[in-house]
Each structure stands twice: as C-alpha cells, then as structure tokens.
Amino acid sequence: DIEARVAELLAAQKIVARCTGPVEYGPRALGNRSILYHAADKTVNDWLNKSLRRTEFMPFAPATLRERARDCYRQIDTAAYAAEFMTVCVDCDPEFTARCPAVVHVDGTARPQLVEAHGNPGFHKILREYEARTGIATVINTSFNMHEEPIVCSPDDAIRAFATAELDYLALGPYLVWRRNGERRQCPRSHPRRASSAPAPAPTTTATRSASTSERSWRRRWRSGSWAPPSRRSRARVPS
C-alpha cells in the first residue's frame, strides 16, 4: 500500500517525491509529479528551495482534501473549480494559518490545490491517510524538478532529480526508493529540520527497493513499454 506508506513518511516529517501514472499538463504539478512535505515547518521555504536550486521568493502551495476546503479557506466555493488546478489565491482561515504556516503567504493567502477522489484517487488517499495520522488534511505540494529544468517525466528523470536534490524518499509507481546512505544531508544549522518523535517506518514491504535496483527495474519496464510512456498524458481539464 504505497499511499499509506507515503502518508506515514510525511507524518514522520520526511520529504517524499512522487512520480506515478500519466503526467499532468498545465501550469502546476497536481500530485503525479510532486514533492510532498508537511506544512508546519516555516523554514522549509528556504532550505528546500536551496536543495532544489530555487530562489527563496518561490513560495510553496498546499494540497488539501476537497472535503476539508471550507475549514481551511475563506469563500473557497466561488473559486473551487480553479482551485482544483492550483491557479487561484484565496484568504486562509486563521486556524489553518497557525497549523500550516509553510503554505501561507505574508498577506494571509494561499494558492491551494483541492484534491478529489475522482480526479486523483492515489493522491487523495495519501491525504486521507495523512489526515488520519495527524489531523491535518493539507501537505506542501511543489513540482518535482530542479530549478530551470522541466518537470520529471520518466523514471530515469525522477531518480536523477531525487538523487540531485538529496530528498528523503521517492514513491516511484508502486516502489519506494531511498538513497543507500539513508538520511539526506543535514540542512543548514540556521534552518534545522524539526526532529520527529516517530521514527521512519522500516522498509519491510515487498514493494521497496534500493535506488540502484529500482532504477534498473524501471528502466527495463520503461523500455519494454510496460510502464505508461510519456505520450500517455492525462487529459486534466484546464480552466478557461
């Protein structure tokens, strides 16, 4: 159950990149080519942007369960359709601002993605499982790519970006990938990551692989055509 594993890692304050299924098209990453992290760490805008070679003025956006939208954002019903694609800013509820400061702009707004089960069932399940563990229905969702590079498309792209940015985990289709030396490099002391009281779950499922083994496996499947090729794009609706 890769979605439950991802939620467990996010609840343990790990960074999880996700590359699965067809690629979305449009201006935002909507869960299939995304980097996910918990939204309570106010320092993440600095140190994660540095890992991705981005500048600090590039803020992160929240992905939120559609059924919890009214609890998080004001007057969201008038912008709900556009918010499915993370293309509109709305005012945040004060309680949401306090619990998820990493995704709230200095003016008290955010640019949310509202995730519905029929639109992206896997991503929706991750958020449901995460809410069950933390009581929070929102995570950071930023595009899975290094700065000034296109969003990752193939498994090879995903593994290269995952290794370059030194992220914690990569959910690659049904596989969970991590680096051989375990933890990512330490963040700058001025922006320490919050220690988690819950250890990361041990890699015990049959779906887990080391990075080198997973890379070879996915390359074979990609070349044989058994993994969806990049030409099989999802036909996500784009608001006019």
Side-chain angles (χ1 to χ4, degrees):
D1 190 345
I2 187 66
E3 290 83 10
R5 291 275 288 147
V6 169
E8 191 173 1
L9 290 166
L10 292 172
Q13 302 184 3
K14 302 299 181 182
I15 307 170
V16 183
R18 187 170 188 252
C19 176
T20 188
V23 181
E24 304 108 344
Y25 67 82
R28 308 295 176 205
L30 300 176
N32 280 8
R33 300 294 187 280
S34 293
I35 295 172
L36 310 175
Y37 188 58
H38 79 99
D41 184 356
K42 293 188 293 185
T43 69
V44 68
N45 191 68
D46 189 1
W47 60 259
L48 182 53
N49 271 330
K50 286 181 179 177
S51 292
L52 299 173
R53 300 175 185 171
R54 301 174 183 171
T55 53
E56 64 179 11
F57 70 85
M58 303 176 73
F60 295 123
T64 302
L65 287 173
R66 175 65 178 86
E67 52 268 36
R68 301 289 183 264
R70 291 182 179 178
D71 299 332
C72 303
Y73 312 107
R74 294 177 174 176
Q75 298 180 326
I76 188 63
D77 290 344
T78 60
Y81 180 75
E84 291 182 30
F85 310 98
M86 201 189 283
T87 55
V88 63
C89 282
V90 295
D91 292 322
C92 297
D93 181 84
E95 183 179 351
F96 176 81
T97 300
R99 300 188 75 183
C100 300
V103 293
V104 179
H105 306 151
V106 293
D107 62 355
T109 64
R111 179 169 43 84
Q113 175 196 0
L114 303 185
V115 183
E116 297 186 292
H118 69 82
N120 191 329
F123 194 25
H124 187 268
K125 183 177 180 181
I126 288 173
L127 291 174
R128 282 196 296 105
E129 295 279 352
Y130 180 75
E131 183 186 30
R133 289 165 170 77
T134 65
I136 299 173
T138 294
V139 298
I140 289 172
N141 174 12
T142 189
S143 60
F144 189 8
N145 64 292
M146 302 300 293
H147 184 48
E148 295 185 342
E149 292 188 7
I151 197 167
V152 302
C153 185
S154 69
D156 283 347
D157 294 340
I159 291 172
R160 184 181 64 82
F162 163 71
T164 302
E166 295 187 313
L167 306 176
D168 292 332
Y169 291 88
L170 167 61
L172 186 58
Y175 294 85
L176 184 65
V177 183
W178 64 95
R179 297 181 302 110
R180 284 181 179 272
N181 60 344
E183 290 294 323
R184 70 189 296 276
R185 66 183 175 187
Q186 293 297 313
C187 299
R189 288 185 181 273
S190 57
H191 299 283
R193 295 177 62 197
R194 296 186 178 183
S196 171
S197 58
T204 58
T205 69
T206 57
T208 54
R209 299 284 188 278
S210 70
S212 58
T213 302
S214 178
E215 183 176 0
R216 290 194 298 270
S217 171
W218 279 97
R219 279 178 174 169
R220 287 196 298 270
R221 294 182 64 185
W222 183 267
R223 290 166 181 164
S224 68
S226 59
W227 202 76
S231 60
R232 248 181 236 174
R233 313 289 185 182
S234 65
R235 298 300 189 264
R237 297 171 295 168
V238 178
S240 57

